[in-house]
Amino acid sequence: MFDIITEILWLGHAGVNVRQRHRDGQVELIFDIMLKWAQAGEHATVHIQAPGNPRWGAQQAVTAPAELHHVHVNITKPFDLWWPVGYGRQTLYNVTITLTPTPLPPFSQADLTPPCSKQALAMQLQQGSSPHLDPSPCSNRCAEDGKSQTAVGGASNDAVEHSERKPGPYSSWGSEHAMVVMRRVGLREVELRRDKLEDGETFCFIVNGVPIYAKGANMIIADVIASKVTPGRYRTLVESAVAAHMNMIRVWGGGLYPPQEFYNLCDEMGVLVREEVQFQMRRINWHPSVVIWGGNNEVETAMGGWFKEARQNPQLYTADYVELFLNTVQRAVAEVDPDFLFVDSSPSNGLLSTQPYVKRWGDASSPSYGDTHYYNYSANSFDAATYPHARFVSEFGFQSLPSWKLYKKVTRPEDWSWNSEMSEFRMRHPNGTLQLLDQAQRHFNISVTPTTPNQTPRVGNPDPEVFRKWTYLTQLQQAITYETAIGLWRRLKGSAAHTMGVLYWQLNDVWLGASWSSMDFGGNWRLLHYTMKKTYAPFIIVATSQDDSSEMWVVSDINEPVTGTVTWELIALDSRAGPVRSHSQPFSLEPLQSKPLHLPRLTHLLQSVFNSTSSSSSSSSSLSFSSSFAVGAEAPAPANAIVRVRAEVTKTGGSSRKFPFKGVGRPSLSQPALHTREDPYNKHEQEQIVNELAAPNRRFAQGLQHMPHPTVLDALARVPRTSGLLILYTELKDKQVVSDPCICAGNFRMLSPFMSEFIVTSTAVALHVAIDTEVEGRFSDNNFILLPWEPKVVAFLYDHSTASADELEHSMMILSLVDTNVQL
């Protein structure tokens, strides 16, 4: 960065921030350049240029002793805007800022010898924040005097600083020593809309005039040992977020500063960043992905009752809060960029005024104002009525255990019980293990070892198979909890609540232990992350049920009209031939719309089944698989049936939604076609496939030898055309599922060096099928329903290239709902 490079070049301290103002179809870029001069009377010239865009230019003289200089560049159309992922392209323009010193009479002192080109080249940073030095002859001084060199900054600030050097007046070096810094500028306008409502006000991000439903997670530090974090670790996090259709990450203020690589990736992939102030605003504020700054995490909430000191002296702590976060932090942010979005705390009740900045005091977690943090470990987490109708949810979550394949590598066999000493040691949330158990006993057939006389559970016997199932159960429980809550909040954007964002806690983890994360330490996806990929998809269907009635919504974050078909299927859990009854109807949505659809009452579905077969001579055989269905005007929900709802988008914006690849059509349900060919797909065909996929999935499709199955392509697409859900009507533990479904994976084959494909089959209806493997990578889908008449085609995406799917086939592990019947 400028501030580091100028120290090395003996220029003092400098910094470059880029602000932008949008009005009347034009953009004004303001380059704020800070300089620390060596002596009064020095001069330099600042040049702003954008390669390939000659209209984007400016030149301005700067003179000591002024430290802050503003260079304005006015941009008129044509230009492309930068958009969040899912709403448009992430156009980035390279802009160079050149500082050219005005020559003064030469100096002869040896201490004024400038650094050599070799040192300058060593200081180049990653694209997007890279300083470049014009070549100049080496003085040979650095090689001769043996002075030490010290690396400055993190992974993206690999500058080199020479110790024991004295700064000197850079003006003596002349124009051949001009310094160039590059910024990748994304043109976008961001607003936080707080419109008045009958009960509160909205909290909605508007980017380039379009309301954005924020979908994402909170990111904590990547490792407790910062030196172990590589750029690849951040790439895994950002790509995994985008692969799960996220468009925002909140950088939690309690962690370490992410390096430039993180923000560069967010710029490139269209991920909005909600950053909490960490005294580094000038370093990252120019990134188009950074859209809002927060003053703190939960400090205002803590003042409201977490600590007795604050409760006993609220006036003192309120005064201190105002002085620190309003009079100091907020003003410091405004000094860097007076127009930049800022909230003093999260959660918060929002503002009464922005000019001047006046807080709305009260319950910081009120769902009517600002953003909300919501945690409730005692309520029924599978019930949508549990969750508040908040304007914006910045934190929410429930725990699960890390994946068994990883956990067993860092523990010993004697640790493998649900409440062993090691399990409790790695559970850092108070009463967390008992909260997991309490929620699990509500929904699953799970029992524990008899309690001790004081009613505390005994320590379970170590058993690897039982512990593996317990791990699966906690991950399934977490996935359903998030699916329930986030499904509610997504469809509420079309209601009086005007919910416009969810950032769950949390994206990543710092070790292998029980936590709220959707990704294990190291990057492995838990069941939650696979579920979020479906719950955060641009188009989804959401349903809630109570007794035999249901409420269903279709929700679109697609900024085009959408039309399609919704199909309901009544499925008996002991069926092997197909659904008992099905019904389809069309739907249509306006851009970015959420609206309800009417679902027939379950009693009506059951009655229609009964009426259509009761007069038939073959009624007994046709209903043999659903003989326990209760029929009548007030029929109770059957324990041996579910309703599957599937929606398929057929058109977006007037264009048909279909895969543009030769030979690919609707998949056969009985015999999934696996498309093959002798020669690899040519460049044009590969480009067609790659362009259809979400950006993080594209590298896996390079070098295709075989066409992926349509269901695989849809699962990996930028905008999947299908969405599905199950309506259970009863608790999972009450479902009369077949106790021994034979679930098998077969027909493994390589599609490319980074992708294989296989078919999963079952002899009975299997709910919440989870597949896992020791191989490093991820599946195209997980946590799904498997039907005897509908095999499932799944792809595996390898972290490293491979020539064979043998290792994957031999290490495959599969569990389903029947495996939640556990004696701990």
Side-chain angles (χ1 to χ4, degrees):
M1 296 300 299
F2 239 68
D3 51 351
I4 294 173
I5 297 307
T6 48
E7 272 191 37
I8 298 168
L9 296 179
W10 309 339
L11 301 180
H13 178 78
V16 175
N17 182 41
V18 186
R19 296 182 282 136
Q20 50 185 287
R21 293 172 180 166
H22 295 242
R23 58 172 63 90
D24 301 328
Q26 300 184 17
V27 181
E28 179 188 21
L29 294 179
I30 306 106
F31 294 83
D32 301 325
I33 301 173
M34 289 194 68
L35 298 172
K36 289 287 187 180
W37 301 89
Q39 62 186 35
E42 294 185 309
H43 305 272
T45 303
V46 175
H47 299 264
I48 308 293
Q49 292 177 307
N53 292 278
R55 297 179 298 110
W56 297 26
Q59 177 176 317
Q60 183 170 313
V62 294
T63 306
E67 295 184 351
L68 181 61
H69 305 269
H70 308 287
V71 182
H72 296 252
V73 177
N74 292 313
I75 301 173
T76 58
K77 293 182 177 179
F79 55 79
D80 292 326
L81 294 172
W82 182 95
W83 289 91
V85 60
Y87 293 85
R89 297 177 60 187
Q90 291 75 55
T91 302
L92 296 169
Y93 294 97
N94 290 330
V95 179
T96 59
I97 305 97
T98 305
L99 180 67
T100 306
T102 301
L104 291 178
F107 288 81
S108 60
Q109 295 98 318
D111 277 342
L112 297 183
T113 305
C116 65
S117 297
K118 228 179 246 187
Q119 297 162 10
L121 291 175
M123 293 184 283
Q124 289 190 6
L125 310 182
Q126 189 178 15
Q127 184 187 20
S129 57
S130 306
H132 299 275
L133 209 67
D134 289 347
S136 60
C138 179
S139 67
N140 295 321
R141 168 91 182 261
C142 64
E144 295 170 356
D145 61 12
K147 300 298 183 183
S148 63
Q149 297 182 349
T150 306
V152 179
S156 64
N157 291 332
D158 297 327
V160 177
E161 178 182 51
H162 288 254
S163 61
E164 301 183 19
R165 289 287 189 175
K166 303 296 183 183
Y170 69 83
S171 301
S172 63
W173 300 350
S175 61
E176 70 270 18
H177 296 292
M179 183 168 61
V180 180
V181 167
M182 185 174 68
R183 292 285 187 261
R184 292 191 304 174
V185 176
L187 304 178
R188 89 288 184 269
E189 184 178 22
V190 183
E191 175 190 357
L192 181 58
R193 185 74 57 82
R194 293 186 176 100
D195 294 334
K196 297 297 181 184
L197 301 173
E198 184 176 338
D199 177 25
E201 63 183 20
T202 64
F203 191 97
C204 174
F205 288 94
I206 309 291
V207 179
N208 302 328
V210 176
I212 306 297
Y213 193 100
K215 300 176 294 190
N218 289 262
M219 187 183 78
I220 63 173
I221 59 176
D223 200 302
V224 293
I225 303 176
S227 60
K228 293 175 60 178
V229 182
T230 64
R233 190 89 67 88
Y234 282 103
R235 176 170 290 277
T236 296
L237 290 176
V238 177
E239 286 188 344
S240 293
V242 176
H245 302 294
M246 299 185 195
N247 58 28
M248 180 176 280
I249 291 176
R250 176 176 174 241
V251 179
W252 178 58
L256 300 176
Y257 313 141
Q260 287 293 345
E261 284 89 351
F262 168 74
Y263 300 100
N264 291 339
L265 287 166
C266 291
D267 292 346
E268 296 164 5
M269 297 189 184
V271 178
L272 304 175
V273 177
R274 179 172 173 170
E275 183 77 36
E276 291 186 347
V277 169
Q278 298 178 338
F279 315 106
Q280 299 215 356
M281 188 174 179
R282 290 189 186 276
R283 181 175 73 91
I284 63 173
N285 196 60
W286 53 272
H287 285 277
S289 56
V290 180
V291 295
I292 187 169
W293 286 87
N296 66 73
N297 174 71
E298 296 181 341
V299 174
E300 182 182 352
T301 302
M303 287 172 47
W306 286 11
F307 307 105
K308 68 176 183 179
E309 293 83 358
R311 294 194 301 268
Q312 292 171 351
N313 197 346
Q315 294 84 0
L316 172 64
Y317 284 88
T318 299
D320 287 347
Y321 182 98
V322 170
E323 183 62 29
L324 176 57
F325 296 111
L326 305 188
N327 296 343
T328 304
V329 174
Q330 190 274 331
R331 291 179 183 177
V333 170
E335 286 179 5
V336 176
D337 190 340
D339 300 322
F340 212 85
L341 299 179
F342 175 81
V343 290
D344 59 274
S345 185
S346 180
S348 172
N349 259 341
L351 304 177
L352 294 173
S353 168
T354 56
Q355 296 293 335
Y357 192 94
V358 180
K359 274 184 62 62
R360 177 184 289 106
W361 295 96
D363 179 8
S365 289
S366 168
S368 299
Y369 294 94
D371 63 329
T372 299
H373 293 192
Y374 183 78
Y375 297 92
N376 188 335
Y377 302 107
S378 60
N380 182 356
S381 66
F382 289 13
D383 185 357
T386 294
Y387 304 101
H389 289 203
R391 308 296 184 231
F392 193 105
V393 182
S394 296
E395 284 190 28
F396 144 82
F398 199 87
Q399 289 192 313
S400 74
L401 297 184
S403 298
W404 164 245
K405 67 178 182 181
L406 301 175
Y407 190 75
K408 67 181 181 180
K409 295 179 180 180
V410 298
T411 54
R412 299 172 297 182
E414 57 265 34
D415 301 325
W416 299 340
S417 71
W418 71 284
N419 60 348
S420 68
E421 182 178 358
M422 177 58 71
S423 295
E424 293 295 352
F425 172 74
R426 289 178 176 265
M427 166 59 78
R428 296 308 176 95
H429 175 55
N431 298 318
T433 302
L434 292 180
Q435 289 168 355
L436 286 175
L437 178 64
D438 174 68
Q439 200 68 225
Q441 289 180 319
R442 297 183 187 209
H443 309 296
F444 303 98
N445 287 311
I446 184 170
S447 56
V448 297
T449 304
T451 58
T452 61
N454 63 358
Q455 299 304 306
T456 59
R458 299 182 187 275
V459 176
N461 295 322
D463 185 318
E465 186 62 20
V466 171
F467 194 80
R468 181 169 76 104
K469 292 179 178 181
W470 167 241
T471 296
Y472 159 72
L473 186 154
T474 66
Q475 290 200 11
L476 175 58
Q477 178 170 267
Q478 181 191 38
I480 297 175
T481 295
Y482 284 57
E483 181 183 39
T484 301
I486 295 176
L488 168 74
W489 287 322
R490 284 202 63 187
R491 62 99 161 165
L492 285 179
K493 77 172 184 178
S495 72
H498 294 282
T499 305
M500 284 301 294
V502 183
L503 308 176
Y504 66 80
W505 187 267
Q506 64 205 58
L507 177 63
N508 58 315
D509 217 336
V510 295
W511 75 334
L512 292 171
S515 77
W516 301 259
S517 67
S518 62
M519 297 174 64
D520 289 319
F521 177 65
N524 179 73
W525 287 20
R526 295 187 186 182
L527 281 187
L528 172 59
H529 208 85
Y530 289 105
T531 304
M532 287 299 94
K533 187 167 77 75
K534 290 176 273 195
T535 307
Y536 274 158
F539 165 79
I540 63 168
I541 49 177
V542 180
T544 58
S545 62
Q546 185 174 9
D547 297 326
D548 77 328
S549 63
S550 299
E551 187 178 50
M552 193 179 75
W553 292 63
V554 282
V555 181
S556 173
D557 290 334
I558 302 170
N559 199 14
E560 295 179 311
V562 172
T563 59
T565 303
V566 174
T567 301
W568 296 274
E569 295 175 317
L570 180 63
I571 298 173
L573 294 178
D574 55 354
S575 173
R576 286 172 168 78
V580 177
R581 176 70 66 194
S582 63
H583 167 76
S584 297
Q585 72 177 58
F587 70 86
S588 61
L589 292 170
E590 295 300 316
L592 309 176
Q593 188 183 17
S594 170
K595 75 175 185 181
L597 290 181
H598 297 290
L599 180 68
R601 294 177 69 89
L602 180 62
T603 51
H604 296 163
L605 284 173
L606 297 177
Q607 191 66 53
S608 68
V609 173
F610 179 78
N611 290 339
S612 64
T613 59
S614 59
S615 60
S616 171
S617 59
S618 60
S619 61
S620 59
S621 59
S622 64
L623 285 177
S624 60
F625 51 82
S626 56
S627 58
S628 62
F629 281 3
V631 295
E634 299 297 332
N640 68 335
I642 59 171
V643 169
R644 180 173 69 162
V645 185
R646 292 187 294 177
E648 181 176 6
V649 174
T650 55
K651 288 186 179 180
T652 56
S655 301
S656 297
R657 286 283 296 141
K658 60 182 180 181
F659 293 108
F661 319 133
K662 292 186 297 183
V664 177
R666 179 181 292 276
S668 167
L669 298 183
S670 58
Q671 296 270 334
L674 301 180
H675 303 276
T676 63
R677 62 191 290 169
E678 295 296 328
D679 56 313
Y681 287 87
N682 62 41
K683 182 177 180 180
H684 175 69
E685 291 171 321
Q686 285 199 27
E687 286 178 352
Q688 283 186 298
I689 297 173
V690 168
N691 289 336
E692 188 75 9
L693 304 181
N697 299 328
R698 292 173 184 171
R699 67 180 178 90
F700 303 103
Q702 302 301 320
L704 278 176
Q705 185 73 37
H706 306 290
M707 175 67 72
H709 191 267
T711 56
V712 168
L713 291 171
D714 195 52
L716 301 177
R718 291 179 292 110
V719 183
R721 64 178 182 177
T722 58
S723 177
L725 58 86
L726 300 179
I727 304 177
L728 303 177
Y729 297 102
T730 63
E731 287 287 359
L732 284 169
K733 65 182 179 181
D734 297 327
K735 287 300 177 188
Q736 298 173 4
V737 295
V738 176
S739 60
D740 57 348
C742 179
I743 304 176
C744 300
N747 288 25
F748 287 80
R749 62 169 188 166
M750 297 299 300
L751 304 179
S752 78
F754 291 93
M755 186 188 303
S756 64
E757 190 177 75
F758 57 94
I759 300 177
V760 188
T761 60
S762 176
T763 59
V765 176
L767 304 181
H768 297 293
V769 175
I771 47 180
D772 205 353
T773 176
E774 300 284 350
V775 181
E776 293 184 350
R778 57 183 169 88
F779 297 96
S780 60
D781 197 6
N782 218 333
N783 189 19
F784 50 79
I785 182 175
L786 197 56
L787 304 173
W789 58 91
E790 192 174 303
K792 176 81 173 179
V793 183
V794 179
F796 186 78
L797 312 180
Y798 295 84
D799 287 348
H800 311 286
S801 64
T802 185
S804 170
D806 290 347
E807 183 182 1
L808 175 68
E809 182 175 5
H810 295 142
S811 67
M812 189 77 72
M813 298 172 284
I814 305 178
L815 295 173
S816 69
L817 183 63
V818 297
D819 296 299
T820 60
N821 297 328
V822 179
Q823 168 72 47
L824 294 179

